[in-house]
Amino acid sequence: MAGRADAELEARERELEGRYRVLCGSNLNLDLTRGKPSADQLALSDALDGILAGDYAAADGTDTRNYGGLRGIPEARALGAEILGLHPDQVIAAGNSSLTLMYLVVDTALHYGLNGAAWSGETARALCPVPGYDRHFTLTEALGLDMTAVPMTERGPDMDRVEALVASDPAIKCLWCVPKYSNPSGCIYSPDTVRRIARLPARASDGFIVLWDNAYAVHDFDFPPPPLEDLLECAREAGTEDGMVLFGSTSKISFAGAGVGFVAGSPATLDRLEQRMSVMTVGPDKVNQLRHARFLGGRVREQMQAHAARVRPKFEAIERILSGSLGGLDVATWTRPRGGYFVTVDTLPNLASEVVSLAGDAGVKLTPAGATHPGGHDPEDRTIRLAPTFAADDDVAAATEILALCIELASVRTLRRGS
């Protein structure tokens, strides 16, 4: 498109603006802002209601209606291990939110010490791959940590950059990771990247931890699914197991607001977290843990295949429409994930905010430009995160067509200004 004559660009701009004005008068209300499961995905777990049929006894005889059991019931820990690819002894099963567990871990490391001295009393800094997960940034900022952005690649974080920063700056205390179907790029960390991440605590200052948020561990579109290297095994080989903390949940497997969250790590890490949890609670919701264990135990892949059948067509629609509308124009690139919940679209520099605004005026709500970067600021203003799962299939297609039009319109305007 950049090589077109000005007259051609002007004619294309008039055509696009005419189509855009029609859309603005259509009173559309389409939403691709948050990665929530759709109602038909949630319905896949309706059998949770009543599944216990009055039998509240866990496998070890625990009455799940009562207090106690800070690490969770055995079958819930086994479920977490199945999802995360670990051994049950490496897992704590907790309440419904893995984000709460992330807050607990970072707060413990900051104020009390997790695998070394507490971070407080010094300027602590987190490494944040970008584009990345806005809730990680919000949590980090809320706890008073500075954030240093590191670029993402197709193989995971730029490890040359990560290793150099960790080795040179003792204030860097943690690295955020979403290793499989990364939020929002959809990439899977390569085996080499995972092994290099596992070795980071040996390069870093005292108390460094890897925050391994494996939220989409089993959210595959293809079966058999692509593998992810075992971080804890790599860390065990490197002698850095105490520097790894892993997270997961059933929140996009069963009920988003009533699932089970998991945290995993070395024996020393779990002991320290249990000690902290003992002041905060007398035990998790073990009844809900038991419901999930009986519903999902041994059939996680079956459940995820049913999810994939509902989610995959929405991602295929995005790919089909963006390729058909923008392919060959050199005005945008986008990811083609094999699972997870997001697609990342990169516009020409300094256009993402304009595209999001144009789409909003046409009735399509998108995540704010910049949300994929610490502080909500994308220095290149080019990354847009799409979250198609919650919307109906037809709405995803309609919203993507509008997005493509807005990207081309904003690009033509910019190219004309520069011509």
Side-chain angles (χ1 to χ4, degrees):
M1 179 174 284
R4 293 186 181 182
D6 188 56
E8 188 179 357
L9 288 174
E10 183 180 2
R12 183 59 175 166
E13 182 178 358
R14 285 197 303 270
E15 178 189 346
L16 292 169
E17 286 184 339
R19 291 165 54 193
Y20 180 72
R21 284 193 295 271
V22 171
L23 289 170
C24 288
S26 299
N27 297 316
L28 297 174
N29 185 19
L30 308 174
D31 190 337
L32 301 185
T33 57
R34 299 301 314 186
K36 298 192 295 185
S38 63
D40 60 343
Q41 286 180 264
L42 297 174
L44 293 171
S45 300
D46 284 348
L48 280 167
D49 188 20
I51 195 170
L52 298 184
D55 179 8
Y56 296 98
D60 62 355
T62 297
D63 185 340
T64 58
R65 299 170 298 179
N66 220 323
Y67 292 127
L70 283 173
R71 296 201 183 195
I73 61 174
E75 49 266 70
R77 297 177 72 188
L79 175 62
E82 181 181 355
I83 292 170
L84 294 173
L86 301 172
H87 188 276
D89 287 346
Q90 297 172 302
V91 179
I92 288 176
N96 74 308
S97 172
S98 58
L99 189 64
T100 301
L101 295 169
M102 293 175 217
Y103 189 99
L104 169 67
V105 167
V106 178
D107 181 70
T108 299
L110 180 63
H111 294 113
Y112 304 93
L114 182 64
N115 67 342
W119 301 344
S120 55
E122 57 182 305
T123 301
R125 184 172 292 116
L127 293 183
C128 299
V130 295
Y133 182 26
D134 54 343
R135 291 195 182 275
H136 289 166
F137 307 149
T138 300
L139 186 158
T140 305
E141 186 176 23
L143 286 170
L145 276 67
D146 292 339
M147 291 180 278
T148 298
V150 293
M152 282 286 288
T153 73
E154 293 180 353
R155 300 169 62 83
D158 180 342
M159 289 307 299
D160 289 342
R161 179 69 175 151
V162 169
E163 288 169 348
L165 286 167
V166 163
S168 64
D169 186 352
I172 292 173
K173 294 297 183 181
C174 60
L175 167 70
W176 283 108
C177 298
V178 182
K180 190 172 182 183
Y181 309 129
S182 188
N183 181 351
S185 72
C187 83
I188 301 173
Y189 288 15
S190 71
D192 180 64
T193 295
V194 175
R195 288 191 288 268
R196 291 173 73 175
I197 288 173
R199 294 194 292 266
L200 285 177
R203 297 171 172 263
S205 60
D206 181 54
F208 179 89
I209 55 175
V210 172
L211 300 163
W212 193 257
D213 182 6
N214 205 359
Y216 308 103
V218 292
H219 293 75
D220 307 289
F221 296 161
D222 305 317
F223 299 88
L228 175 69
E229 195 81 355
D230 185 336
L231 176 73
L232 277 183
E233 178 60 24
C234 293
R236 186 191 63 77
E237 294 172 358
T240 60
E241 194 177 4
D242 290 346
M244 308 293 133
V245 190
L246 295 76
F247 306 93
S249 78
T250 68
S251 291
K252 290 185 175 77
I253 299 173
S254 60
F255 293 157
V260 181
F262 307 104
V263 60
S266 70
T269 296
L270 297 195
D271 287 347
R272 187 73 178 107
L273 291 176
E274 183 176 16
Q275 182 184 38
R276 288 280 293 125
M277 291 166 65
S278 68
V279 219
M280 303 165 57
T281 179
V282 287
D285 182 349
K286 297 184 294 298
V287 172
N288 191 43
Q289 290 186 0
L290 186 61
R291 291 196 312 158
H292 278 79
R294 290 190 181 165
F295 178 63
L296 288 172
R299 56 172 299 275
V300 170
R301 176 169 291 193
E302 175 187 338
Q303 179 81 348
M304 298 318 298
Q305 287 173 326
H307 276 283
R310 288 154 177 79
V311 171
R312 187 190 302 109
K314 301 177 183 185
F315 284 77
E316 291 172 344
I318 290 175
E319 169 59 27
R320 181 178 66 254
I321 293 165
L322 291 182
S323 293
S325 300
L326 301 178
L329 297 183
D330 294 326
V331 296
T333 59
W334 54 92
T335 58
R336 298 165 173 84
R338 299 174 61 187
Y341 263 59
F342 303 100
V343 173
T344 298
V345 178
D346 282 338
T347 67
L348 296 176
N350 304 310
L351 283 189
S353 296
E354 182 179 350
V355 169
V356 169
S357 178
L358 285 169
D361 290 343
V364 177
K365 297 177 183 176
L366 299 173
T367 303
T372 54
H373 288 65
H377 175 64
D378 174 2
E380 294 188 306
D381 188 24
R382 65 182 306 175
T383 299
I384 299 171
R385 184 184 73 186
L386 304 183
T389 53
F390 186 67
D393 290 11
D394 290 345
D395 288 349
V396 171
T400 306
E401 288 171 354
I402 294 170
L403 171 65
L405 188 152
C406 292
I407 290 173
E408 187 178 358
L409 177 57
S411 301
V412 169
R413 287 174 174 174
T414 294
L415 292 170
R416 283 203 66 211
R417 287 195 295 266
S419 63

